[in-house]
Every structure is written in C-alpha cells, then in structure tokens.
Amino acid sequence: MKAGLRTVRLDLTEPLRISRSTMTTRDAVWLSVEHDGVTGRGEAVTSVYYGLDVETLQRLLAAAGAELARFPDPESALQALRTGESMSEGNPPAVTAATEAALLDLVGKRAGSPVHRLLGAALPPVAATARTIGITSPAHAATQARSLAAGGFEIIKVKAGTPDPEDDVERVRVIRDAAPRARLLLDPNGAWTRAQAEALLPRFADLGVEAVEQPVAPGDPEALGTLAERSPLPVIADEDAVDLEDVRRLAGRVQGVNVKLAKCGGVHAALRIAGAIDGSGTELMLGCLTASSLGLAPAVHIADRARWADLDGHLLLAHDPWTGIGGEDGVVRASGLPGLGVQEVGAYEGMA
C-alpha cells in the first residue's frame, strides 16, 4: 500500500464562538491509501483543545501511512488496527480515526460495499442532526433559529457559557420563541461552576431544553455524576468522556456520553463504547469537530445507533470540498456507494 497526504484550509461561513474560544477556520489533513489502483481517504483536523496543529498531524499521519506499507492488503491492516497492532503507541485518537477511515473507505471500495454494510447494517443509516448556534447576539440567534426551522432542522444545539449566564438564558429564550417546535440541546463546554449549573438547569428545563452537555469543567467525573443525578435535564458527558475507560466510570451516572471519533479513536472504538453503555441507562450521542463531509462520513455510517446525532461540522463551512452525506435539510444520510460514499467537489482551492 502507498500513502499520501494533502492539507487544505476549511473556512467557516461565520465565526463560531463557544465558551473557551472563537473559530473562523480550521486546517484539515487528508490521508490517502492506495492499493491495486483503488484509493481510500480519511481526514484529521487541527484542534487547539486537543493539541493538534498542522505539522503534528502531517508528521503522525505520514508515519501511520508508512506503517501501513508492511501489510499485504488493506483488509489485514484494518484488522490489525482494530486490535491495536498497527498504530504507534501513543498516537492521538484523531490520527487513529483518520487512518481507520481511509482503510474503511478502501476496503469498502474493494468489496463494492458501503462502510455501514461492512459494520453489519443492511440499510444506509439516516439520522436527524442537530445544528449548532454559537454564542452570538439574541437577534442573530433568533434569525438563525427561524432559518434552521424553516429548512427542516428538528434539533438545534445552543452554545452557552458567557461571563453573564443571563445572556445564555436570553439566547435560549429567543431561540425557543423563533423555533417553538425544535428540540433544543445546550452546550456550555464546561464553563459553569457546580453552583451555577444547579441554579441554571431548572431554568433551562422550563424553557424546554432537552439535554445539556458537559455543564461543569472536566476533570471531576464524580461531581458531574452527582450533578446528573439531581439535574432536571439529562446530562451528557463530553470533555469528561474521552475514551472507553472514562465512559465505563460514568455509565449509569450520566444520561448520555458524547462520542466523537476524533476523540475516541474511530468507528470501532465508538462501537465498543456503545456496547459498554448498552443497558446502563446512559445513551449515546455522536458528535463531531468542524470538518468536511470526508471527516464526518465515518460517523454518519453509525449514526442510527445514537439517541442524539450532532453531525453538523460540514454544514458550518463556507465551502465543503466533499459531498455525499447531506444534512442541509437537517438529516444526514449514509451513501449506498462503496466505501465512505463521499466524493470530492472538483479541484478544491483551499490548499494550505
């Protein structure tokens, strides 16, 4: 097998502000793996929070691609990756996830099968996805909410965590008024103290918020579990639920865990987490980073296994260089094409 890299810049349609940062652009590194004239691709994106810059991703993905050359075919490489044999110890989960995605794409294309079928699903998964509204003015939030509701979005995720919590309450109130039938999710990204969360969550419950992600700072899962037991809203762990061991500690204590493939290490790692929480009372949310359709596609192929799907990262881009998973109408759909089922849109000009 032969591997290659390409780096592109992904600009957002508008700045996305969350409690800890504001993002306007993100770089993506595409890994291609070729064998017998067939090519599979995967994507990893930069992240300040996870400590991944372009140079780090390029170096680690190049090393991962070189390591694949020792396998006779992508099928054996994929099997080795599943068992933890083919990746350098200590690789970031995002690198493992991108490598797995390229192999799944390649194996699926060679077999003439979409990825979801390789994973045991007969029909292409279809799921309503949340669409994120960042920390912004109430007027702009209301305009966005009305537009999303008119466009078919049934779930709106609202970012929170401003210095004055009353700003968050007002933003949720105007979004509720603008989109009265929408299911609302709230995400402070760990910005609140425990006392703030206990005071605010009943107010958001009264506004019809369905669930809240990581209301308090990560690092104290016991405190998060205690808060979840008392909360009038389901609590979904995100930053406190990175890998399988984290999730096992929280299973049965929180109502949900947000699993991102770049956070846990890919599709098979996500499926192991789903198996670990099955029957525990803790349900699966599938989340994402801001990325292209290539980066989102692996999660879409397992989206029907989650209670909540938050797979809108590609919808935040000014130009998505890939197509094939939909979402513009509020619903993501896995393609029936072989592999990941995404296709590059012409010659992309956002090369970094």
Side-chain angles (χ1 to χ4, degrees):
M1 287 182 287
K2 182 174 65 175
L5 299 180
R6 182 180 170 195
T7 302
V8 301
R9 179 146 296 153
L10 305 174
D11 294 319
L12 277 65
T13 301
E14 62 178 66
L16 176 64
R17 180 186 169 196
I18 66 174
S19 61
R20 59 176 177 252
S21 64
T22 299
M23 179 172 57
T24 60
T25 189
R26 170 165 262 160
D27 292 316
V29 181
W30 297 341
L31 171 68
S32 62
V33 182
E34 186 270 334
H35 185 73
D36 287 345
V38 182
T39 301
R41 293 177 175 84
E43 176 181 273
V45 295
T46 54
S47 169
V48 173
Y49 184 78
Y50 293 116
L52 298 174
D53 56 23
V54 169
E55 292 74 17
T56 299
L57 287 176
Q58 289 173 333
R59 174 175 54 81
L60 294 176
L61 285 169
E67 191 172 355
L68 295 178
R70 66 185 178 91
F71 294 94
D73 52 58
E75 291 77 13
S76 59
L78 183 60
Q79 178 58 32
L81 186 146
R82 288 175 184 165
T83 59
E85 300 172 13
S86 68
M87 299 297 295
S88 299
E89 186 175 350
N91 258 348
V95 171
T96 304
T99 306
E100 179 199 53
L103 290 172
L104 283 168
D105 192 32
L106 179 52
V107 169
K109 288 175 178 176
R110 280 165 54 84
S113 175
V115 164
H116 62 266
R117 200 169 297 156
L118 296 178
L119 300 172
L123 299 176
V126 177
T129 180
R131 175 67 159 77
T132 298
I133 294 179
I135 295 174
T136 186
S137 70
H140 187 50
T143 298
Q144 286 184 299
R146 278 191 291 269
S147 176
L148 291 173
F153 283 86
E154 300 174 359
I155 311 168
I156 296 175
K157 176 172 168 175
V158 187
K159 291 292 187 178
T162 54
D164 183 357
E166 293 301 322
D167 292 340
D168 297 332
V169 174
E170 179 62 16
R171 188 164 53 262
V172 171
R173 181 180 291 114
V174 299
I175 289 171
R176 167 54 70 214
D177 290 343
R181 296 183 182 86
R183 298 164 54 195
L184 300 185
L185 304 176
L186 189 67
D187 185 10
N189 288 106
W192 296 335
T193 66
R194 184 170 167 180
Q196 285 178 316
E198 290 176 344
L200 289 167
L201 290 179
R203 299 177 67 185
F204 287 115
D206 289 343
L207 289 170
V209 172
E210 179 176 318
V212 59
E213 287 183 60
Q214 196 69 43
V216 294
D220 190 351
E222 181 66 24
L224 184 67
T226 300
L227 177 66
E229 290 167 3
R230 302 174 180 174
S231 173
L233 292 175
V235 171
I236 303 169
D238 183 356
E239 287 88 346
D240 265 327
V242 175
D243 56 23
L244 182 58
E245 291 309 308
D246 290 337
V247 170
R248 282 177 173 156
R249 283 191 290 269
L250 288 165
R253 301 282 322 271
V254 296
Q255 288 78 29
V257 289
N258 185 342
V259 173
K260 300 181 178 79
L261 302 192
K263 180 174 68 171
C264 72
V267 167
H268 288 96
L271 293 177
R272 285 192 289 271
I273 289 174
I277 63 175
D278 188 34
S280 70
T282 297
E283 298 188 83
L284 182 69
M285 179 180 192
L286 271 176
C288 66
L289 302 181
T290 304
S292 77
S293 287
L294 174 61
L296 271 289
V300 174
H301 281 275
I302 58 171
D304 56 345
R305 310 187 191 209
R307 174 177 173 180
W308 300 281
D310 179 25
L311 300 175
D312 68 337
H314 61 305
L315 303 176
L316 305 179
L317 301 180
H319 173 73
D320 184 356
W322 296 82
T323 186
I325 59 173
E328 294 81 5
D329 60 351
V331 178
V332 289
R333 304 168 178 83
S335 171
L337 296 173
L340 293 175
V342 295
Q343 297 176 315
E344 192 173 359
V345 183
Y348 185 56
E349 296 179 353
M351 296 186 69

